[in-house]
């Protein structure tokens, strides 16, 4: 299993927890993890993965924004510090400035253009990750 796929599993787990707690959906700010997400969207494996990790179907929606990433603390409590893949673009380039900021402050401020939704709605073709445009 690739690092991006491992991180997608963790992201979906946090998504399920946040949705079940009435919190907002987590922001998908990593182009590399988003690319792994798009590879699986709409497949039977994705449906099973959502049930296994989030306990429910998880859709995908365009959702542009910029700001603090709300779910970092929950991730760290469950899995430890965010790995480098979260700061990696779809071409495998690491944003050294962003990762240095995270390591120094424990916070992530980023742009995102999609997020998960409760339910299985998907408004994006699986082969067209929005974050690949960045």
């Amino acid at each position: 299993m690739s690092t991006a796929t491992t991180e997608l599993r963790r992201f979906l787990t946090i998504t399920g927890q946040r949705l079940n707690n009435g919190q907002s959906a987590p922001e998908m700010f990593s182009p590399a993890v988003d690319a792994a997400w798009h590879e699986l969207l709409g497949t039977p494996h994705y449906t099973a993965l959502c049930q296994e990790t989030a306990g429910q179907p998880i859709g995908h929606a365009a959702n542009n924004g910029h700001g603090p990433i709300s779910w970092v603390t929950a991730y760290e409590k469950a899995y430890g510090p965010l790995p480098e893949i979260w700061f990696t673009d779809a071409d495998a380039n690491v944003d050294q400035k962003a990762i240095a900021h995270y390591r120094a402050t424990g916070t992530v401020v980023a742009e995102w253009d999609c997020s998960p939704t409760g339910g299985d709605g998907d408004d994006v073709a699986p082969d067209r990750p929005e974050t690949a445009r960045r």
Side-chain angles (χ1 to χ4, degrees), residues 28-32 34 63-65 86 88-91 110-114 129-134:
M28 171 51 74
F29 71 94
S30 168
D34 189 46
N63 177 18
N64 295 328
W86 283 102
T88 304
D89 69 17
D91 295 320
E111 293 180 18
W112 62 89
D113 54 21
C114 62
E130 298 90 350
T131 49
R133 294 192 303 251
R134 287 196 237 150

Side-chain angles (χ1 to χ4, degrees), residues 7-17 26 37 40 46 49-50 53-55 58-59 116:
E7 291 306 307
L8 177 62
R9 292 178 64 86
R10 292 173 174 181
F11 180 77
L12 292 172
T13 298
I14 289 171
T15 296
Q17 292 167 352
W37 192 7
L40 292 175
Y46 181 70
L49 179 64
C50 289
T53 58
I58 300 296

Side-chain angles (χ1 to χ4, degrees), residues 26-107:
E27 308 86 357
M28 171 51 74
F29 71 94
S30 168
V33 178
D34 189 46
W37 192 7
H38 281 262
E39 287 178 19
L40 292 175
L41 281 171
T43 67
H45 178 71
Y46 181 70
T47 302
L49 179 64
C50 289
Q51 287 299 326
E52 178 187 335
T53 58
Q56 61 183 303
I58 300 296
H60 180 282
N63 177 18
N64 295 328
H66 178 270
I69 301 302
S70 63
W71 52 271
V72 172
T73 300
Y75 181 100
E76 291 172 333
K77 285 180 182 174
Y79 308 110
L82 289 169
E84 200 171 82
I85 191 78
W86 283 102
F87 305 91
T88 304
D89 69 17
D91 295 320
N93 300 306
V94 177
D95 183 339
Q96 295 295 339
K97 184 177 177 183
I99 201 166
H101 175 80
Y102 166 63
R103 289 177 177 158
T105 66
T107 62

